[in-house]
Amino acid sequence: MKRWQALGGVVLAGFLGLAVVSPAAAAAVKGADPKALAEEFGAIVGPVTEDIRKELNLRTSEGVAVFEIIGDSLADLAGIKVKSVIAEINNQPVRDLDAFGRLLSQALAQGNATIGSWEPASPEDQGAGQQMNFHFVPNRQD
């Protein structure tokens, strides 16, 4: 067995050298199920369909639609609303579910995060339409 295999990590060779990343960290960043990760965060999400894009008057179908928020979760604490579209995490664009999963995984590992969303402008939803709303996601300790 080679020395780097004994470390139990994934070795990434790069132009500047080698970095060791644990298998758990590698799996969290790549290959994690975005919907399961979103549920852990406290949101039930899905792709932005053409109908959702039209209802929110969005220019593109990029982002992730929020269908439900789980009470007393990080998503609830951050003030993310049902019928919103998550468009960015930590100033990085969320183009689809895969990008959402990757960016959310990184954000949760770091602790505090900022999520940008488009929200409906109707009084019942209390969202400010036609502009990005930003939500602070705190680092919640168990």
Side-chain angles (χ1 to χ4, degrees), residues 43-128:
I44 307 300
V45 300
V48 177
T49 63
E50 189 62 21
D51 289 338
I52 293 169
R53 185 196 69 74
K54 286 178 183 176
E55 182 178 337
L56 293 177
N57 200 22
L58 300 173
R59 285 174 267 176
T60 67
S61 294
E62 292 182 348
V64 174
V66 178
F67 300 122
E68 187 177 334
I69 296 294
I70 299 167
D72 196 33
S73 65
L74 283 176
D76 186 34
L77 221 77
I80 296 170
K81 295 179 176 50
V82 173
K83 296 185 182 178
S84 65
V85 172
I86 296 174
E88 65 178 54
I89 298 175
N90 287 341
N91 296 322
Q92 299 295 315
V94 173
R95 305 222 185 277
D96 54 26
L97 274 171
D98 290 334
F100 171 78
R102 179 178 47 80
L103 293 169
L104 183 61
S105 177
Q106 291 169 356
L108 293 177
Q110 291 173 341
N112 297 335
T114 303
I115 293 181
S117 68
W118 298 103
E119 297 176 359
S122 69
E124 301 99 40
D125 297 315
Q126 298 182 11

Side-chain angles (χ1 to χ4, degrees), residues 5-7 14 16 20 30 33 41 72 74-75 88 97 113 132:
Q5 289 174 323
L7 295 174
L16 299 176
V20 178
K30 186 173 183 174
D33 177 23
F41 173 62
D72 196 33
L74 283 176
E88 65 178 54
L97 274 171
M132 182 76 68

